[in-house]
Amino acid sequence: MELQNTVKEALTALYHHPDDGIRARADRWLQDFQRTIDAWQVSDNLLHDSSSNIETLVFCSQTLRSKVQRDFEELPSEAFCPLRDSLYTLLKKFGKGPPKVRTQICIAVAALAAHVSISDWGDGGILNWLSNEMRSNTEYIRSFLELLVVLPEEACNYRIAARPERRRQFDKELTSSSEVALSLLTSCLGFDYLKEQVLEGFTSWIRMCHGITASTLASHPLVHAALSSLKSEQFVEAAVNATSELIRFTVSRSSGDISAQSPLIHVILPQVMSLREQLLDSSKDEEDVKAIARLFAEMGDSYVDLIATGSDNSMLIVQALLEVASHPEYDISSMTYNFWHNLQNILSRRESCVSHGSEASIEVERNRRLQVFRAPFEMLVSLVTFRVEYPKDYEELSEEDCKDFRHIRYVVSDVLVDATVILGGEQTLKLLFTKLVQAVGSHRNEDSFNWRPVEAALFCIQAVAKSVSTQEAEVLPQIMTLLPKLPCEPHLLQTVCSTVGAYSKWIDVAPVELSILPPLVGILTKGMSASEDCAAAAAVAFKYICEDCSNKFVGSLDGLFHIYHIAVSGDGGYKVSSNDSMHLVEALSVVIKELPLDHAKKALELVCVPIITPLQEFINQGELMNEVPARHLTIHIDRLACIFRNVTLPEIVAEAINRFWPILKSIFDNRGWDLRTMESLCRACKYAVRTCGRFMVITIGSMLEEVQLLYQQHNQSCFLYLSSEVIKMFGSDPSCANYLRSLIEVLFIHTTKLLRTIQDFTARPDIADDCFLLASRCIRYCPDLFVPSSSFLSLIDCSMIGITIQHRDACKSILNFLSDVFDLANSSAGEVYRPIINNILVPRGATLTRILIASLAGALPSSRLEEVTYVLLSLTRTYGVKVLVWAKESISLVPHTALTEAECSSFLKTLSEVASGSDTSALANTLEELSDVCRRNRAVQDIVQGALRPLDLNFTTVS
């Protein structure tokens, strides 16, 4: 009684106390209470207590539902019957409300049925029990109907902590009882006040009707009720849900071949098609229109393969979907976009016509279908383009509304690209150009120029750029000639700049006599002065133009350098941000690599001057350099990185790096403590190594000395990822062996000193991630240096400490490293290393196996299952029967309350098959099921982890 009062007091504090701190403490206490064994009895008592208020009833019903779902195993077996009877009493008590409480009780009863077999439930299972109750206690019909609705939903609910085998069995029980359920629902059709619930129940049970034929369903009263209710304002939502589920049922794999579903399809389609007029009825409630539109979209998505045949009947559905697409509300029209995407996928695939026999027949049929669907896709293009037009009040919209508008533009872009697959890029471009001409032609007076429809048409034109041939000669010359003549309104200019960039490949091959490039470059320079967004678009466009038209700029470098220097210096009125200026650096870099080598060398010096000069000035400040904000350095270093990455002329870049090395070394020496600057500098060095390769041999030794020294001083992971690039580039070069061996030893030995416990891993996930990425690189590129070293053993031990780190990337790097070790031992190339690997891993095999099993069983998130499975598979392939012995030792530690003998045996049997060289495909499913069983609720997971204790293991054989 005292605990019941405490619960009431906590709920009162949670909902009514003015102090936020007290409300938060009450919330924490109630959450802790829900996890206790006492929560069963207290919640049950308060639900039966007539004095409990609504807050108490809702909380206790949710608690009891959650306990049944997750913690049913806490109860002794003899508690089942009293619990079932109590829930039954509550079901009747709350038959007339409150609805929230009744729903929770219904879910609890359904979850209880999922835990126990038909024989344990009695009365022939829950469906027969429910059937008897509905017939003998009609006054509680609402409660019983709601229970009938939630039963199939709970069969698919993985929050229920039932074992996988029991969950499958429950599904089979409900499927075999589906006719009983439909009969119960049918018996309630005569009561109009129950109709919505009946339709909801029918929607739930359709998924369970695997054994009922389409012809039986076609004449079923419930199907008739659902279809006839589509035109009822009162039941339209429920009717649409039921009809949508029926449509999905006709194309589900469990329902058999689509032709077998014809009787049901022929009943559904006419009823749905009769709703077309309601789509355009302005007097219709918007929510009802949404429901009907959703039904048409469902029909399109489900029957897209049939529609793609282009039959007369299928084209009626296509016309209806176009009517949905034409709806002024985006939320309604966009329901069809997935259909158009799937339809173009099917129409563009040769395989969709393969049933027509010969290659010639297939091609004829494919062309016929494409021709049939040209007109609908042309209509679609005309229907979606207006949606990208800027609203007149755009500047006043909230950030969220602006974000939604930008999203709509991206979605429409995708629809237009889909249309190009059917119409061709050139035909789509012509349709959009017509829109542009209309928009421009209707506003010849610049003072009253409405830029919005012009911008919208141009946005659509740039969206389809990748689908338009570079040989297009009719429309694009007119567009490119028009662009410089358009007003410089910022939004319009931004899209003009994007359009120039989008068609850079066409511009490269455009006829010389058109002289297109100079005025377009003029547009981009205007764009850089207009606004930040416009400048960003212009910078990106400049990059594309320089990438694709680099040969055309070779003779006009002075103009490019002028633009570059203004943008990089920040003088001259350009509004290019530091980040966007990187596009200009990249633009100039790709032009430089097209120059003759002697010119390229000089151009590289010129492009580096405005970057290196300010860095040298910072260095000249001496100790004051330490006070310079990191961003003042990284902006220049990042530009260097961009140059090193894109000027793919190894000798010239290597000479430049050798020349700049004293400056870079000085930054290393003076700012080694500064993480942001070191990350930027290491990234620049990484690209330098990648571009220059062995031409960088003069500088690489000094660079690696810096890396070793600074890593030991400052423990920054960026030195590890720079080293990874060095290993990839120089790992197999015998001339580099000595300093790479030193690098590996220093970095790995220091890392293992940093990562001694799982807490260390958790505190330094970046170091763990980059360390084991580097280790994997060493296995691939220089195993002869790495495996025989003392650091290899230390790193194996270190990896076993860190396997259970929760950080995703770090965990994956550790697991990939281990699987790389086993794969090396299994490979012919790795045979020479097998004795070393065996000497290290066999003594640790039992411990490692136990950690891996614990990881599968809940020590790691289920999203790591694939990686852990592969490590266990690799380990088993390498050590065969030994792994089976280790696994048996580990799995035997888990109590049978958590993992039954049968479940253990199934796991060991599958592992034995892998160890003997049999098919490994079953291992993933077995481990997934083992993981599911061990994670079914928190109590079980704690029991399993408490038995395996992965964090407490030493690096010795588990005895």
Side-chain angles (χ1 to χ4, degrees), residues 171-190:
D171 188 271
K172 287 178 183 176
E173 289 168 6
L174 293 186
T175 299
S176 65
S177 302
S178 58
E179 291 194 41
V180 175
L182 296 190
S183 175
L184 291 173
L185 291 167
T186 304
S187 67
C188 298
L189 278 175

Side-chain angles (χ1 to χ4, degrees), residues 21 39 82 111 151 161 176 214 270 272 431 560 597 604 645 673 774 819 835 841 895:
L151 266 171
S176 65
V272 176
L431 294 173
L560 282 182
L597 285 181
L604 183 61
R645 183 181 188 181
W673 51 270
L774 172 60
S819 61
L841 280 168

